[in-house]
Amino acid sequence: MSVQAPNAERQIWIFTQMLRIREFETRVKRTFTDHPGVIRGHTHLADGAEASIVGSLGHFREGDAALSTYRCHGYPLALGSDPKAMMAEIYGRADGLCKGLGGSMHLTDVQRGFLGTSGIVGAGIPHAAGAAWAAQIRKKGDVVFCFFGDGAAKQGAFHETLNIASLWKLPVIFVMENNGYNVVTTTAQEDANAAAGEPLSVKAKAYSMPGVTVDGADPLAVFATVGAAVEHYPEHEAITVFGKREEYEAALRGDPVPRFRGILVQGGVVSAAKADEITAQVAKEMDAAVTFAVKSPFPKLESALENIYA
């Protein structure tokens, strides 16, 4: 089943959202490393995952839902969440998406279909199945997008959820973002010692699901693959770079943001001047988000007792 390639306007939207995610997280990283204590607890970034995030959510429609891992800043941004409220939440301020009570790893924006995240590896996978079951009952054709890392594929919840999703034909699309590492264990090490079924997409076959491996740094490839899945549904402590420095620098050479910019410019979709203009606009937007977060007040102590149910 083929999916029509996004038109020029949509490709520029994809590029802009990838830039917004990168610029937003650059400011989070800068604050976390240069101003210890301003961001409470820990924060996890998704450098290099911009293409898989935006390429997938380019098919998101009103009524759909999405869940992600604790590397969660990019998803609500692509879905239209206010970067000011997001930054305020990461800063633990009362004007944040969750009133400053969730922080960096627990962003939620239900109004935009982003149902939230968890610091527990793989926790969003069964939640996605629950949301998909609700969508199935509503019978409006809504789909749930479930994002998780390769490490989550070793969790029991992953296998249990794929099993029930297949049996009940739930409208959920599982997007595994494989960065080659499970914290400090590489995919290559696991191939030899622990992980059966590589590439990881073949695990879907055990549950009678189509599984596809795609270049996660190519937003158009992701867009096409996820689009086919959407169409198919009706039928069925410090910021640490794990690994060697040369591996990290090699990954930077394949950075999806400048790579996609080059594709758009070379293909005549956007001029170099226009690409620079978009970059400057995004930088200004994210600077404003930081300013807003810094000026936002901290939550009042009594707010800890709000939204608690017996």
Side-chain angles (χ1 to χ4, degrees), residues 132-158:
W133 189 25
Q136 187 181 68
I137 292 171
R138 289 193 298 266
K139 297 182 179 180
K140 294 183 178 180
D142 300 332
V143 171
V144 178
F145 295 77
C146 177
F147 297 87
F148 54 94
D150 44 303
K154 284 75 178 175
Q155 294 279 51
F158 167 83

Side-chain angles (χ1 to χ4, degrees), residues 76-224:
L77 267 177
L79 294 177
S81 295
D82 183 355
K84 294 179 179 178
M86 288 179 56
M87 194 68 76
E89 182 61 37
I90 292 170
Y91 278 41
R93 306 301 177 96
D95 292 324
L97 277 180
C98 302
K99 310 299 183 184
L101 304 178
S104 175
M105 294 193 291
H106 301 96
L107 299 180
T108 303
D109 193 344
V110 175
Q111 291 183 340
R112 288 171 178 79
F114 189 62
L115 303 187
T117 66
S118 174
I120 301 172
V121 174
I125 299 175
H127 295 167
W133 189 25
Q136 187 181 68
I137 292 171
R138 289 193 298 266
K139 297 182 179 180
K140 294 183 178 180
D142 300 332
V143 171
V144 178
F145 295 77
C146 177
F147 297 87
F148 54 94
D150 44 303
K154 284 75 178 175
Q155 294 279 51
F158 167 83
H159 299 277
E160 294 157 2
T161 302
L162 262 65
N163 183 52
I164 199 69
S166 180
L167 286 172
W168 292 359
K169 302 187 185 305
L170 298 180
V172 56
I173 297 170
F174 299 102
V175 183
M176 179 190 296
E177 297 173 304
N178 184 358
N179 64 5
Y181 276 88
N182 297 318
V183 187
V184 296
T185 306
T186 69
T187 302
Q189 289 171 326
E190 292 195 340
D191 285 351
N193 299 307
E198 305 291 350
L200 291 170
S201 62
V202 304
K203 293 181 183 294
K205 294 182 179 179
Y207 305 102
S208 302
M209 292 182 177
V212 180
T213 299
V214 64
D215 181 1
D218 182 345
L220 299 184
V222 175
F223 184 88

Side-chain angles (χ1 to χ4, degrees), residues 41-107:
H42 212 332
T43 189
H44 298 266
L45 307 181
D47 306 54
E50 296 88 356
S52 62
I53 294 170
V54 182
S56 298
L57 294 179
H59 293 283
F60 195 92
R61 308 154 304 180
E62 184 177 356
D64 289 344
L67 298 96
S68 80
T69 71
Y70 44 77
R71 301 180 188 277
C72 57
H73 309 148
Y75 308 91
L77 267 177
L79 294 177
S81 295
D82 183 355
K84 294 179 179 178
M86 288 179 56
M87 194 68 76
E89 182 61 37
I90 292 170
Y91 278 41
R93 306 301 177 96
D95 292 324
L97 277 180
C98 302
K99 310 299 183 184
L101 304 178
S104 175
M105 294 193 291
H106 301 96
L107 299 180

Side-chain angles (χ1 to χ4, degrees), residues 5-13 264 268-270:
N7 59 24
E9 181 181 1
R10 196 59 170 165
Q11 291 184 54
I12 293 172
W13 177 87
L264 295 181
V269 175
V270 65

